[in-house]
Amino acid sequence: MTLSIRNIIPIIKANWFGNNDISIIDTISIDSRSLQNGENTLFFAISGPNHDGHQYIEELISKGVQNFVVTHFDENHKSKANFLVVENTLDALQKFATFYRSQFDFPIIGITGSNGKTIVKEWLYQSLFDDYKTVKSPKSFNSQIGLPLSLLQIGKNDEIGIFEVGISKPGEMKKMEEIFSPEIGILTHIGAAHASNFESEEQLIDEKLKLFKDSKTIIFNGDNELVYRKIHELYSSKKLISYGLQNQNHLYIKNDCNDR
């Protein structure tokens, strides 16, 4: 998808300062080292605990980048590039990814859980890509930054998407669900990963299950009794498919071999 700066301003609720509001954008970047950075790149200056994308703006301008999403900028650069000023650049990236996803009409699978997200994603991809043009999260891109970047990889010919979603503390999943609502939700194993940031296993499960608010089908590990009960309490109107080792599940492993 190709958009102009003028198109993008209302999507991310930005104020524009610069020299060319019809500048064309065909690439999104948050990495100053990316080889894709160029004249038609929109660079989101993400601020984190260890790095601040704003500090690379002058260097990027010298390399030909003309378009930036920022919270602030040097007035001396105003005539050299376009600046879309927002309150929060990560929030702006998420807004843009949400808009971008909305332009495509094909089913998406969302995978969450404490463990196993990436391997389940890769298994599904290997099972589907021969029959469907399939897009997936690269590596373990499942964070507040990784998920939007994954969605921005969607292409016009894609027929199905597989994206993993990770959280590390309460309150994060609501934002992830707002970025994209998977038609099919998969909940893998619930374990100790990131559990230290939650008051209880129940709070962790409740947070994970928010991803499936608008899903039509939910596939989950039903061996966890709390997961099994919570999903049936919250989502009994949806199509539920459980798997595991216990015979209460729709799909379960059964050992009929007799000891000899």
Side-chain angles (χ1 to χ4, degrees):
M1 184 183 299
T2 300
L3 296 170
S4 71
I5 288 294
R6 188 178 294 174
N7 299 140
I8 295 171
I9 290 170
I11 295 171
I12 64 174
K13 296 179 170 55
N15 292 313
W16 169 72
F17 300 87
N19 55 17
N20 182 10
D21 69 345
I22 60 172
S23 182
I24 297 300
I25 301 300
D26 59 21
T27 303
I28 301 298
S29 176
I30 66 165
D31 188 349
S32 63
R33 301 163 298 178
S34 174
L35 297 178
Q36 292 183 317
N37 289 332
E39 182 179 353
N40 300 120
T41 295
L42 180 61
F43 182 85
F44 284 76
I46 304 294
S47 299
N50 300 315
H51 299 283
D52 184 351
H54 293 83
Q55 71 187 54
Y56 303 108
I57 289 175
E58 185 169 2
E59 173 189 344
L60 287 165
I61 291 175
S62 70
K63 292 180 178 179
V65 179
Q66 295 290 301
N67 307 286
F68 299 88
V69 178
V70 298
T71 58
H72 58 277
F73 66 94
D74 187 331
E75 285 288 333
N76 293 326
H77 295 149
K78 187 174 180 179
S79 62
K80 301 176 182 179
N82 292 305
F83 295 94
L84 301 186
V85 180
V86 296
E87 291 186 7
N88 184 296
T89 51
L90 174 57
D91 183 61
L93 177 65
Q94 293 170 343
K95 284 185 173 73
F96 187 76
T98 302
F99 164 80
Y100 186 80
R101 162 65 185 114
S102 71
Q103 305 306 298
F104 300 90
D105 185 20
F106 59 80
I108 278 188
I109 300 169
I111 305 170
T112 193
S114 300
N115 312 102
K117 295 184 290 295
T118 301
I119 195 167
V120 169
K121 177 196 69 185
E122 296 298 333
W123 282 344
L124 280 173
Y125 179 78
Q126 292 298 323
S127 300
L128 293 170
F129 82 96
D130 280 338
D131 299 312
Y132 303 94
K133 178 67 174 173
T134 307
V135 59
K136 64 182 175 74
S137 306
K139 301 179 182 179
S140 297
F141 277 37
N142 59 36
S143 66
Q144 298 278 323
I145 296 176
L147 177 61
L149 293 178
S150 297
L151 292 172
L152 292 172
Q153 292 193 118
I154 294 173
K156 64 179 181 180
N157 296 320
D158 288 324
E159 298 174 298
I160 191 166
I162 311 170
F163 300 98
E164 55 179 287
V165 181
I167 57 170
S168 59
K169 59 185 178 181
E172 287 186 342
M173 191 59 88
K174 182 177 184 296
K175 173 63 72 172
M176 303 294 249
E177 192 277 331
E178 290 172 352
I179 296 172
F180 90 127
S181 297
E183 286 82 354
I184 299 171
I186 298 178
L187 181 67
T188 63
H189 175 256
I190 293 292
H194 308 304
S196 60
N197 293 326
F198 293 85
E199 295 178 358
S200 64
E201 181 185 21
E202 184 171 7
Q203 185 189 36
L204 174 61
I205 292 169
D206 286 342
E207 186 73 15
K208 296 282 189 183
L209 294 184
K210 290 177 183 178
L211 180 64
F212 309 139
K213 181 173 71 72
D214 295 320
S215 298
K216 297 177 181 178
T217 301
I218 304 173
I219 302 167
F220 63 99
N221 184 337
D223 286 347
N224 184 313
E225 293 183 7
L226 187 55
V227 167
Y228 193 92
R229 176 172 61 82
K230 283 280 186 179
I231 285 184
H232 281 82
E233 287 176 355
L234 291 170
Y235 298 130
S236 60
S237 62
K238 302 180 186 293
K239 183 176 181 179
L240 304 178
I241 303 172
S242 63
Y243 65 90
L245 300 175
Q246 299 178 17
N247 61 12
Q248 68 177 356
N249 295 302
H250 296 92
L251 302 171
Y252 67 95
I253 298 171
K254 182 178 180 180
N255 186 356
D256 282 333
C257 297
N258 295 319
D259 293 333
R260 295 186 180 180

